[in-house]
Amino acid sequence: MKPKCVVALALPNDIIEHLKVRYDVAAWSGSEAMNPGQLSDALKGAQGLLCALSTRLTAEMMDHASELKVISTISVGVDHIDIGAATQRGIPVGHTPGVLVDSTADLAVALMLAVTRRVAEADQWVREGQWTQGWQSDLLLGTDISQATIGLVGLGPIGEAVARRLRGFGCKLVGWNRTPKAVDGVESMALDEVFETADVVSLHTALTDETRHIASRERLALMRPGATLINTGRGPLVDEAALIEALASGRLRAGLDVFSKEPLPADHPFLSLRNVVLLPHVGSATLSTRNAMVRRALENLDAGMRNERLAWCANPAVYGG
Ligand code: DGY
């Protein structure tokens, strides 16, 4: 009998067929993520789980999945999984670091330019038929990245990749990392000082208990009038209520790819604000990056199903070190 494996998100048929060669696959094909009850039911008797960000996996669900021996997520972030609980139960959690660094860094820079040069606003203005006059000297004026100070919060692989790109723009770079780290061309600063100094603050930390609301009300209040906040990490890195107030008053601008609640509800206050560019969590959304993420996730899944060490494991403590 083949071991059971749950695939908790809709994936192309060729991937499911490939998995079916080795596993008894319970594949989800709904457009909405499985709800907790559906997932708990599906996990009964399953040894493997392949999932992504919209699958929340709690300790309680793991308790009901007594045969589960590997969780593989198609993401680098693992904040949707109770990692402590998985480790306690001896379940390795595979993730996909490295392969989405460049795509996410590109998107962070794209958001910086979109906000500072008002790209989305200008596009909307043209489509609304407002372009009724020729070239105007004061039309949709923005600010120059080359003259700006950019603050990077988190200097891991993505923060570093953003710094590499921005060095080409000639702007001043300042940054903070939890463990102080020298990055070429980036002046190290205390966290509050980055928020106080930069014209654009870009968040590149993982979401943990320590980084939740790292862009707190107090730190947003430290930002310079007219400054921009960019978030391509996770929504809860930002105190969104405080950000909405700062945007509504016109004091700050923002470019956001991630939100505390995804998808963004239709009546969300962000949607009525023009000084924020909103994207639907597409930091890693290029064909080659998504293929690479899936490949890594499948390798992790197969290794776990064979009781081998995962190549990209988010909780190496599960192996006792
Ligand atoms: C991740 O992998 O954590 C990203 O947020 C997905 O784009």
Side-chain angles (χ1 to χ4, degrees):
M1 211 170 70
K2 292 179 192 167
K4 181 176 173 188
C5 183
V6 173
V7 178
L9 74 162
L11 284 176
N13 219 22
D14 56 326
I15 297 175
I16 301 296
E17 290 308 315
H18 167 83
L19 287 169
K20 279 185 179 167
V21 175
R22 293 182 299 289
Y23 312 123
D24 169 18
V25 178
W28 179 250
S29 55
S31 52
E32 301 283 323
M34 269 181 171
N35 68 36
Q38 288 163 328
L39 182 59
S40 292
D41 281 350
L43 283 175
K44 283 190 191 118
Q47 298 183 10
L49 169 65
L50 182 65
C51 63
L53 304 175
S54 32
T55 300
R56 300 231 145 257
L57 202 61
T58 61
E60 202 187 335
M61 287 171 179
M62 292 178 208
D63 283 338
H64 289 111
S66 55
E67 290 176 47
L68 193 63
K69 61 178 187 183
V70 58
I71 299 165
S72 176
T73 178
I74 308 171
S75 64
V76 63
V78 289
D79 48 284
H80 50 300
I81 298 167
D82 187 333
I83 288 286
T87 309
Q88 258 176 14
R89 287 157 183 76
I91 306 172
V93 177
H95 67 150
T96 65
V99 289
L100 44 73
V101 167
D102 285 324
S103 308
T104 308
D106 286 349
L107 197 85
V109 175
L111 273 176
M112 287 177 200
L113 290 167
V115 177
T116 55
R117 296 303 305 273
R118 303 171 65 180
V119 173
E121 201 183 330
D123 175 90
Q124 198 176 345
W125 187 85
V126 172
R127 288 171 200 277
E128 283 168 355
Q130 298 201 56
W131 194 15
T132 53
Q133 250 182 287
W135 188 87
Q136 296 158 61
S137 62
D138 58 353
L139 179 63
L140 288 161
L141 298 183
T143 52
D144 287 289
I145 284 275
S146 58
Q147 293 167 24
T149 297
I150 314 285
L152 303 173
V153 173
L155 294 168
I158 298 177
E160 279 196 84
V162 172
R164 266 198 309 282
R165 284 156 175 73
L166 291 175
R167 284 202 291 270
F169 283 81
C171 46
K172 179 169 183 208
L173 295 173
V174 301
W176 169 89
N177 198 53
R178 189 166 55 92
T179 328
K181 182 171 175 189
V183 174
D184 203 17
V186 180
E187 182 184 337
S188 286
M189 281 187 175
L191 183 55
D192 285 356
E193 211 182 343
V194 171
F195 277 85
E196 228 163 23
T197 309
D199 300 295
V200 177
V201 174
S202 191
L203 306 178
H204 300 291
T205 59
L207 175 64
T208 62
D209 288 344
E210 290 74 44
T211 60
R212 191 171 298 276
H213 283 198
I214 197 166
S216 60
R217 176 174 290 279
E218 293 71 26
R219 293 201 178 102
L220 293 175
L222 291 176
M223 288 176 75
R224 306 159 77 129
T228 296
L229 182 79
I230 301 295
N231 189 7
T232 51
R234 285 290 183 270
L237 295 174
V238 179
D239 180 337
E240 288 177 340
L243 178 62
I244 287 162
E245 285 171 32
L247 293 169
S249 72
R251 203 176 61 75
L252 296 183
R253 299 180 285 178
L256 308 173
D257 183 42
V258 286
F259 305 89
S260 292
K261 185 150 178 43
E262 296 179 3
L264 207 53
D267 59 350
H268 198 285
F270 279 140
L271 294 166
S272 61
L273 295 163
R274 289 185 82 106
N275 49 355
V276 55
V277 175
L278 305 171
L279 300 180
H281 203 145
V282 288
S284 64
T286 69
L287 189 57
S288 89
T289 294
R290 286 289 162 83
N291 282 338
M293 290 167 75
V294 169
R295 272 198 303 276
R296 269 190 184 187
L298 292 178
E299 276 187 53
N300 277 331
L301 179 75
D302 288 339
M305 293 298 270
R306 290 192 303 259
N307 302 314
E308 289 170 10
R309 194 180 176 114
L310 312 194
W312 300 281
C313 185
N315 58 342
V318 80
Y319 300 114

